[in-house]
């Protein structure tokens, strides 16, 4: 077999196979080039999801005619002034993108250096098609048309225009997030779908590109370890999503999709979110060039860290730090849809038939008293206890979660805060408090117990008793003092003091069930969230239990000082606030 050197056009097409997978990957290269060219504003225009046309115009440094020709050659780059790959400060550096794209599409490059004339060069599937003078403002415009039109094997793999467009939008979003100092515009089929002005700050830009509500539901992250820095915006756990698509990660200003980073984010939110929920966040890692290799992936979307463990620690530590600081905060406001429902709920009076015109009353004489009586009874089952809370407790002003004013459906605490009305899910909140208290107590050597006046006997089947018996020491550390009591019973001597007088029998029965599903090799400490949830379910503050005003206020005060009390163990909010402004809106006063 004889070896031969491949012709340039074939080499480029092979490279294109790695660099240009779909319109969005060509778009990414073009926008990165515009950023590297020092542009302040970058405009993108797409047709047919980018399959028909991708056009990127910038006001950057531009290229002279000879440079345009060189730019289309393989391994020609202006971005590696020295031969070191450790000092890359630009997004591009391989000198491959333009020749690769031009080998599988029709590419027009028009460019003008300030103070000189413009020039254009058209390359169609690797062959020069035309060149000549061009009129345009200083900067560069690159147009890619009919991607893969002559490479049917690749074209087949393109998805619908709609999903190719979605991928293009994602590319622009990520790059726009990385560079809030630049302006970006995107239009598809003549319709403008993204527009951000230059000179925004990072949180504003992230919110503009993800969700406006993120601004009020996120934390600033700013954390450093040695020369490595973690910054950005992390959504509160309660502001979660069903997919992980809303996580934007950047390394030295480069958008990356990296398993290590995604795993670290998951670990940081682990016990604040249910398994199938994902936080919304944008994280920026900045580190010295020799700590990271950006040249491990042709499209440069993956990186390799010299110290992956350290980076993971930085992310988990930085996020936990920010989330701990958040304390009791959760998504502060009910989401717009929930508020809308409230607003839309028609006010209905108890069903009276419509009154005929001219009819003075619906009722026959004597029936009115009956109705009055019924109406009074309608009110009775609503357990909105309005105890005289006002006199008994201090002023609302001093507490973020306010002062308890009553309880609804024996499940929600209604509190008045300085800036609005707070609703607390008492059970979810208590479950969280129990978990956090247990964590703290375990760290301090064990959970305080409270002896029962009379030990309680709980009857269980034999395997359940065996499972409990095998864990007696561990359960004692968690505040439960139990003893085997014959083949089919357990004696309860003490329960965790933090639970109050709860349902002891139910607790032990449920724990025995829970233990059946645990791997016996795992310590209960590793499953403490499940144990705590089970305990909380049988504690004194359950859903459906009437609380005294003092109990309610005690719960609110504890939430205020407990980390992560803003969400339950499954990431749902434990409280929401209806701000005064929202209340006014509901009544049409605003
Ligand atoms: N929009 C632009 N404005 C000014 N110069 C540009 C522009 N786009 C490309 N160039 C020039 O063309 C060269 C080649 O671009 P190309 O994208 O092919 O390679 P690169 O950006 O150097 O590296 P990579 O392959 O990693 O993207 C660049 O190094 C740059 O000098
Ligand atoms: Mg490039």
């Amino acid at each position: 077999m004889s070896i031969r050197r491949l012709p340039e056009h074939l080499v480029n097409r092979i490279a294109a196979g790695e660099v240009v997978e779909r319109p969005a990957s060509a778009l990414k290269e073009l926008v990165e080039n515009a950023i590297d060219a020092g542009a302040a504003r970058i405009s993108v225009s797409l047709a047919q999801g980018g399959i028909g046309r991708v056009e990127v115009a910038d006001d950057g440094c531009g290229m002279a005619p000879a440079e345009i020709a060189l730019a289309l050659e393989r391994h020609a780059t202006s971005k590696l002034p020295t031969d070191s790959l450790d000092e890359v400060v630009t997004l591009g550096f391989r000198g491959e993108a333009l020749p690769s794209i031009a080998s599988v599409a029709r590419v027009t490059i028009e460019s003008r250096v300030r103070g000189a004339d413009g020039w254009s060069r058209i390359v169609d599937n690797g062959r020069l098609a035309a060149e000549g003078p061009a009129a345009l403002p200083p900067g560069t415009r690159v147009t890619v048309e009919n991607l893969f039109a002559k490479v049917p094997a690749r074209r087949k793999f393109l998805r619908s225009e709609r999903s190719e467009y979605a991928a293009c939008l994602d590319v622009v979003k990520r790059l726009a997030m990385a560079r809030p100092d630049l302006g970006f515009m995107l239009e598809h089929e003549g319709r403008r779908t993204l527009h951000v002005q230059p000179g925004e700050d990072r949180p504003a830009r992230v919110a503009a590109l993800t969700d406006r509500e993120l601004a009020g539901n996120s934390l600033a992250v700013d954390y450093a370890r040695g020369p490595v820095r973690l910054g950005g915006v992390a959504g509160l756990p309660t502001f979660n999503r069903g997919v992980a698509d809303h996580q934007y990660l950047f390394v030295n200003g480069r958008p990356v999709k990296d398993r290590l980073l995604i795993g670290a984010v998951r670990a940081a939110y682990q016990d604040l979110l249910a398994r199938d929920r994902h936080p919304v966040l944008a994280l920026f890692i900045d580190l010295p060039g020799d700590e990271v290799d950006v040249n491990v992936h042709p499209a440069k979307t993956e990186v390799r860290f010299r110290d992956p463990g350290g980076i993971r620690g930085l992310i988990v530590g930085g996020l936990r730090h920010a989330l701990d600081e958040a304390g009791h905060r959760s998504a502060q406001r009910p989401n717009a849809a929930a508020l809308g429902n409230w607003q839309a709920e028609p006010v209905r009076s108890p069903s009276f038939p419509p009154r005929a015109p001219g009819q003075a009353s619906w009722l026959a004489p004597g029936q009115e008293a009956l109705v009055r009586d019924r109406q009074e009874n309608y009110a009775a089952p609503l357990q909105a206890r309005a105890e005289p809370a006002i006199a008994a407790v201090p002023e609302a002003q001093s507490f973020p979660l306010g002062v308890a004013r009553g309880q609804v459906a024996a499940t929600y605490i209604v509190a008045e805060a300085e800036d609005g009305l707070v609703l607390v899910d008492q059970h979810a909140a208590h479950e969280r408090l129990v978990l956090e208290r247990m964590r703290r107590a375990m760290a301090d050597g064990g959970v305080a117990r409270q002896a029962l006046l009379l030990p309680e006997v709980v009857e269980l089947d034999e395997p359940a008793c065996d499972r409990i018996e095998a864990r007696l020491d561990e359960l004692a550390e968690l505040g439960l003092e139990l003893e085997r009591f014959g083949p089919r019973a357990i004696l309860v001597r003490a329960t965790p003091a933090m639970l109050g007088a709860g349902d002891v029998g139910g607790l032990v029965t449920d724990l025995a069930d829970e233990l059946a599903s645990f791997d016996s090799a795992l310590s209960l400490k590793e499953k403490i969230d499940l144990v705590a949830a089970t305990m909380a379910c049988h504690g004194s503050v359950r859903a459906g239990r009437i609380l005294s005003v003092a109990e309610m206020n005690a719960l609110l005060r504890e939430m205020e000082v407990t980390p992560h009390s803003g969400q339950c163990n499954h990431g749902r909010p434990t409280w929401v606030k209806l701000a005064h402004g929202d209340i006014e809106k509901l009544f049409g006063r605003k």
Side-chain angles (χ1 to χ4, degrees):
M1 227 193 303
S2 57
I3 299 179
R4 71 171 183 125
R5 277 184 202 285
L6 297 176
E8 173 90 2
H9 71 269
L10 205 56
V11 173
N12 286 339
R13 192 169 281 187
I14 290 170
E18 298 178 322
V19 180
V20 193
E21 211 183 318
R22 56 198 299 193
S25 34
L27 174 61
K28 171 178 173 294
E29 296 296 337
L30 300 183
V31 176
E32 289 187 351
N33 280 348
I35 293 174
D36 285 345
R41 288 173 193 271
I42 299 169
S43 310
V44 179
S45 162
L46 306 171
Q48 295 164 275
I51 301 170
R53 177 172 49 88
V54 171
E55 185 183 298
V56 176
D58 67 60
D59 57 359
C61 63
M63 287 175 273
E67 287 177 318
I68 300 179
L70 207 53
L72 285 157
E73 268 178 38
R74 198 164 151 80
H75 303 313
T77 179
S78 58
K79 301 174 190 175
L80 287 180
T82 72
D83 284 349
S84 166
L85 267 179
D86 284 349
E87 290 155 28
V88 174
V89 290
T90 47
L91 294 168
F93 56 88
R94 299 163 63 98
E96 277 191 326
L98 288 178
S100 302
I101 299 168
S103 73
V104 290
R106 181 183 169 91
V107 171
T108 305
I109 301 184
E110 300 159 275
S111 196
R112 186 181 144 200
V113 176
R114 193 170 293 276
D117 291 332
W119 191 256
S120 117
R121 190 176 176 95
I122 303 177
V123 175
D124 193 347
N125 285 273
R127 290 182 210 294
L128 178 64
E131 72 176 323
L136 75 161
T140 303
R141 178 163 58 220
V142 182
T143 310
V144 176
E145 289 164 298
N146 302 330
L147 183 69
F148 297 141
K150 300 208 171 131
V151 197
R154 297 302 300 274
R155 185 151 184 138
K156 259 203 329 244
F157 283 97
L158 295 183
R159 312 253 297 274
S160 67
E161 287 178 13
R162 183 201 288 254
S163 51
E164 294 302 337
Y165 163 70
C168 289
L169 177 63
D170 188 61
V171 158
V172 177
K173 268 191 187 174
R174 284 176 196 267
L175 287 165
M177 220 177 269
R179 293 299 299 266
D181 53 325
L182 310 183
F184 290 83
M185 201 274 283
L186 169 68
E187 65 171 36
H188 182 216
E189 299 291 354
R191 218 166 53 83
R192 185 178 287 191
T193 53
L194 178 152
H195 193 197
V196 284
Q197 296 296 337
E200 280 185 315
D201 65 18
R202 204 178 248 176
R205 174 65 60 94
V206 170
L209 293 170
T210 51
D211 190 326
R212 272 183 308 112
E213 294 195 14
L214 183 64
N217 290 297
S218 58
L219 308 159
V221 180
D222 189 7
Y223 196 67
R225 260 192 205 174
V228 190
R229 202 172 187 90
L230 177 73
V233 180
L236 290 169
T238 39
F239 193 71
N240 56 44
R241 296 292 165 84
V243 288
D245 295 4
H246 306 277
Q247 296 174 7
Y248 300 88
L249 303 168
F250 303 84
V251 174
N252 288 348
R254 190 185 294 282
V256 295
K257 297 194 168 159
D258 187 284
R259 296 175 70 91
L260 168 86
L261 303 184
I262 293 167
V265 167
R266 172 162 285 280
Y269 278 86
Q270 195 180 22
D271 58 14
L272 302 174
L273 278 178
R275 286 195 75 78
D276 56 346
R277 305 300 298 177
H278 306 272
V280 178
L281 48 77
L283 291 181
F284 300 81
I285 298 166
D286 290 297
L287 72 179
D290 58 357
E291 290 283 326
V292 58
D293 186 357
V294 291
N295 189 28
V296 293
H297 188 263
K300 307 173 221 110
T301 51
E302 287 169 22
V303 292
R304 190 173 296 143
F305 296 103
R306 205 173 55 79
D307 174 18
I311 297 294
R312 187 186 156 88
L314 172 87
I315 294 176
V316 177
L319 283 174
R320 288 307 294 209
H321 182 74
L323 292 168
D324 285 347
E325 299 262 287
H328 68 276
R329 263 183 75 197
S330 72
Q332 297 256 351
R333 300 181 49 196
N335 72 27
L339 203 58
N341 285 343
W342 197 336
Q343 227 159 341
E345 192 70 36
V347 181
R348 224 171 307 167
S349 46
S351 52
F352 292 130
R355 186 155 44 133
Q359 187 183 341
S361 163
W362 304 278
L363 306 167
Q367 271 190 315
E368 291 194 13
L370 192 80
V371 168
R372 217 177 309 120
D373 199 54
R374 287 246 180 93
Q375 279 173 320
E376 274 153 20
N377 282 333
Y378 275 119
L382 291 175
Q383 293 182 335
R385 298 201 334 164
E387 280 190 27
I390 302 108
V393 287
E395 278 301 289
Q397 275 77 331
S398 37
F399 300 116
L401 293 181
V403 170
R405 295 291 185 218
Q407 198 185 11
V408 182
T411 303
Y412 304 100
I413 297 169
V414 181
E416 182 182 357
E418 192 183 4
D419 53 347
L421 173 76
V422 174
L423 282 176
V424 177
D425 178 335
Q426 66 190 45
H427 177 72
H430 184 244
E431 195 174 300
R432 187 76 208 179
L433 292 180
V434 167
L435 172 60
E436 295 293 338
R437 277 191 231 162
M438 288 185 94
R439 275 228 180 88
R440 237 174 312 146
M442 294 307 291
D444 296 345
V447 177
R449 290 173 231 174
Q450 173 150 32
L452 300 183
L453 285 178
L454 283 176
E456 199 167 319
V457 178
V458 183
E459 290 187 21
L460 297 166
D461 64 12
E462 208 165 333
C465 290
D466 292 345
R467 282 196 298 274
I468 294 225
E469 193 176 10
R471 303 267 193 178
L472 284 180
D473 292 344
E474 282 181 273
L475 289 167
E477 258 188 286
L478 296 170
L480 256 183
E481 201 179 315
L482 308 176
E483 233 176 78
R484 183 81 184 233
F485 196 65
R488 279 182 298 278
I490 295 287
L491 191 69
V492 185
R493 291 196 176 278
T495 55
M498 65 177 74
L499 293 183
D503 157 26
V504 176
L507 169 61
V508 174
T509 311
D510 279 4
L511 270 179
D513 287 347
E514 197 76 65
L515 288 178
S517 62
F518 288 179
D519 182 342
S520 57
L522 276 183
S523 79
L524 286 191
K525 270 186 226 167
E526 289 170 88
K527 290 282 183 185
I528 194 163
D529 53 332
L530 295 178
V531 176
T534 309
M535 290 200 175
C537 275
H538 297 282
S540 55
V541 186
R542 306 182 307 274
R545 197 179 151 263
I546 308 266
L547 300 179
S548 73
V549 168
E551 284 175 306
M552 291 188 249
N553 279 311
L555 192 77
L556 296 178
R557 300 294 79 79
E558 189 174 352
M559 286 172 72
E560 284 161 359
V561 296
T562 302
H564 312 301
S565 64
Q567 62 271 318
C568 76
N569 298 350
H570 316 289
R572 290 187 296 274
T574 54
W575 64 277
V576 293
K577 181 180 280 177
L578 208 51
H580 284 154
D582 291 333
I583 299 176
E584 281 168 3
K585 261 188 242 156
L586 289 176
F587 289 104
R589 281 173 177 267
K590 237 184 177 175

